[in-house]
Amino acid sequence: MPLSEHEQRMLEQMERALYAEDPKFASALEGNGLRTYTRRRVYQAAAGFLVGIALLMTGMALQQIWVSVVGFLVMLGCAVLAVTGWRKAPKPGEQPAGGPARGQVRQKRSMMDRIEQRWQRRRDEQGR
């Protein structure tokens, strides 16, 4: 359910007040930090993947199976880390909603719907 014009104006006023009061905190909430964090996480995972390949090859060259297994596990863990980090990264120009997964978005919406229904019930009860 979209916000009413009055609610949108109130939200804009609160945002302006936040920027005026603490611009550093307000800019931190914009989401640019999340994109930088996820990009850094993906780069770190790629570097770890290369380390895993090096361990795998070293283990094969030295004929030490346990080193190869450790290298493979490092590669697997870094691949999972990179893929999950890439999925969570917001698209350029997109405002992240706090970074929730798709299932959590539905859950939050339903929670917001319940809160909204309670608010409407209270207003109706007080209006009688």
Side-chain angles (χ1 to χ4, degrees), residues 46-119:
F49 190 84
L50 294 175
V51 168
I53 290 175
L55 283 172
L56 182 73
M57 297 305 236
T58 302
M60 291 175 66
L62 298 176
Q63 295 181 351
Q64 297 290 324
I65 294 180
W66 66 271
V67 175
S68 296
V69 170
V70 169
F72 176 76
L73 292 176
V74 168
M75 288 171 52
L76 183 65
C78 289
V80 169
L81 189 68
V83 170
T84 57
W86 194 261
R87 285 185 186 165
K88 290 180 183 178
K91 307 288 186 268
E94 178 183 355
Q95 284 289 352
R102 290 181 184 170
Q104 292 174 343
V105 170
R106 288 189 193 125
Q107 194 175 36
K108 279 191 175 185
R109 274 195 203 133
S110 64
M111 182 185 74
M112 289 302 291
D113 289 340
R114 285 181 291 183
I115 291 172
E116 214 169 307
Q117 288 172 356
R118 289 179 193 162
W119 179 258

Side-chain angles (χ1 to χ4, degrees), residues 1-62:
M1 174 179 235
L3 297 175
S4 69
E5 289 180 29
H6 175 69
E7 292 170 331
Q8 287 177 352
R9 275 185 266 133
M10 293 290 290
L11 183 61
E12 288 172 5
Q13 287 176 354
M14 288 189 297
E15 287 176 352
R16 281 194 298 266
L18 178 62
Y19 276 107
E21 186 177 314
D22 193 357
K24 186 176 179 182
F25 177 68
S27 64
L29 291 177
E30 284 182 344
N32 292 337
L34 178 64
R35 187 168 58 226
T36 303
Y37 168 74
T38 53
R39 188 180 306 140
R40 186 179 328 127
R41 182 175 164 187
V42 169
Y43 290 149
Q44 289 172 347
F49 190 84
L50 294 175
V51 168
I53 290 175
L55 283 172
L56 182 73
M57 297 305 236
T58 302
M60 291 175 66
L62 298 176

